[in-house]
Amino acid sequence: ARAITPAPLTIAANDASRLYGDPNPAFGATFVGLVNADTPAAIAALSIDTAATVASNVGAYVLVPSAAASPNYTISYVDGTLT
């Protein structure tokens, strides 16, 4: 029998911006490595978090993707930036 290994998948948080005092926008991600006509919907539970809040000072904040799951992929992440 031949083993089937999970395909590599990179999930990168898309950079985003907002005005001071506004709430954070909805964060998105780019998926590189999806196979067999899979779409991002095939990957469960992706979370993108940041330390930035409505009260945060002007600046750049890291967007950290995590928690995605799929038995068909070995997932790696690339952070984005919220400015």
Side-chain angles (χ1 to χ4, degrees), residues 2-76:
R2 234 181 136 155
I4 298 175
T5 58
L9 176 65
T10 300
I11 300 175
N14 297 335
D15 291 341
S17 62
R18 68 171 177 86
L19 296 176
Y20 175 77
D22 283 354
N24 289 334
F27 300 127
T30 301
F31 295 72
V32 177
L34 291 170
V35 296
N36 297 330
D38 280 348
T39 66
I43 310 303
L46 174 64
S47 175
I48 301 175
D49 298 306
T50 185
T53 67
V54 172
S56 295
N57 290 324
V58 171
Y61 295 84
V62 179
L63 295 174
V64 181
S66 65
S70 172
N72 298 325
Y73 295 96
T74 299
I75 300 171
S76 60

